[in-house]
Amino acid sequence: MPELKIRFADCTFDLDTRQLLRGGHEVHLPPKAFELLKLLVDNRPRVLSKTELIEHVWPGVFVSDASLAKAVSRIRQAIGQRDDSGIIRTVHGCGYSFAAALSEDQGEPASPIPPAACCLVCGRQEFPLVDGEHVVGRDVDASIRLDSPKVSRQHARLIVRGVSVTVLDLGSKNGSFVRGSRVTDPRTLQPGDDLRIGPFALVFQVADYSGSTESELR
């Protein structure tokens, strides 16, 4: 069966590989948010009520409207939508609908995805950093999840533009530290910098044109 890709704005929603690409880069979308986006796309442009969405995406589980709104917010963040009236439209007092024009491509070879230009390395684990915003924290939906009680659910935010990465602390209880200094204002990482979040030390690395890393773990 040919693969199915749905394109809208600068995004590609690949149902076969369960990937969301934005500007040619893969964007992380939690499983429930992925299913919610699929449901909205499949039923476009019909407005789906909150009850209907919850019953389909979280069958047999009690889920509040706040959890649904959070999943919608994650989708909007992933696709670059900044308000509630664009691609994912909020219909106040009812629910949501998918309002973007799209095209479906069947059997088209997938374009190669450029590798991330930089990453964070924590021990043997590597977190690629593609353009956009990434939340670091303990929350299960965090882009970079660090599972420790010393890490806040939404601990810090990374803003990535190519190899330029800015760190903002999100009012975490234990703070975020770059090169041992607490982050109180937006801080731009330099190759080799260590970012400490709770008990985790993450080293910022930048890839050179040959694909190897510019800095070594210290």
Side-chain angles (χ1 to χ4, degrees):
M1 180 178 179
E3 61 184 9
L4 178 62
K5 297 183 180 65
I6 298 173
R7 303 184 189 280
F8 56 92
D10 63 342
C11 298
T12 300
F13 189 45
D14 193 324
L15 301 178
D16 279 346
T17 63
R18 293 186 64 85
Q19 288 179 299
L20 174 66
L21 310 180
R22 179 181 168 201
H25 298 279
E26 183 175 4
V27 182
H28 171 71
L29 204 59
K32 291 300 184 183
F34 188 96
E35 293 301 326
L36 177 59
L37 178 56
K38 182 179 183 300
L39 184 62
L40 290 168
V41 169
D42 287 345
N43 288 275
R44 63 189 186 278
R46 185 168 71 88
V47 177
L48 300 179
S49 70
K50 295 179 181 179
T51 299
E52 187 175 2
L53 291 168
I54 290 173
E55 287 178 350
H56 280 81
V57 179
W58 292 273
V61 179
F62 174 78
V63 174
S64 67
D65 287 355
S67 295
L68 174 61
K70 182 178 179 181
V72 170
S73 178
R74 288 303 304 271
I75 295 172
R76 286 173 172 159
Q77 179 184 351
I79 64 179
Q81 180 178 336
R82 297 185 178 278
D83 56 33
D84 63 359
S85 60
I87 297 170
I88 306 299
R89 184 169 67 94
T90 298
V91 181
H92 295 285
C94 181
Y96 302 93
S97 70
F98 186 90
L102 53 80
S103 62
E104 298 179 0
D105 297 332
Q106 294 188 345
E108 178 182 329
S111 300
I113 302 171
C118 53
C119 66
L120 289 173
V121 176
C122 182
R124 295 184 177 180
Q125 191 167 12
E126 180 176 310
F127 300 98
L129 299 176
V130 298
D131 282 6
E133 297 189 1
H134 304 262
V135 173
V136 183
R138 194 175 79 248
D139 195 286
V140 66
D141 288 338
S143 304
I144 299 176
R145 189 181 183 220
L146 302 175
D147 192 10
S148 168
K150 295 183 179 180
V151 176
S152 298
R153 292 188 180 278
Q154 294 193 344
H155 198 105
R157 186 185 308 278
L158 304 178
I159 301 175
V160 182
R161 298 290 182 270
V163 297
S164 175
V165 178
T166 303
V167 181
L168 298 89
D169 187 81
L170 297 177
S172 63
K173 181 177 181 181
N174 293 317
S176 305
F177 298 82
V178 174
R179 296 198 300 271
S181 176
R182 186 162 188 157
V183 176
T184 56
D185 295 305
R187 183 83 170 268
T188 300
L189 295 177
Q190 301 299 322
D193 277 355
D194 60 279
L195 169 63
R196 182 165 290 278
I197 303 287
F200 299 94
L202 302 103
V203 178
F204 178 57
Q205 295 189 349
V206 175
D208 62 23
Y209 292 109
S210 66
S212 61
T213 53
E214 180 178 298
S215 59
E216 295 181 354
L217 288 177
R218 299 186 296 182

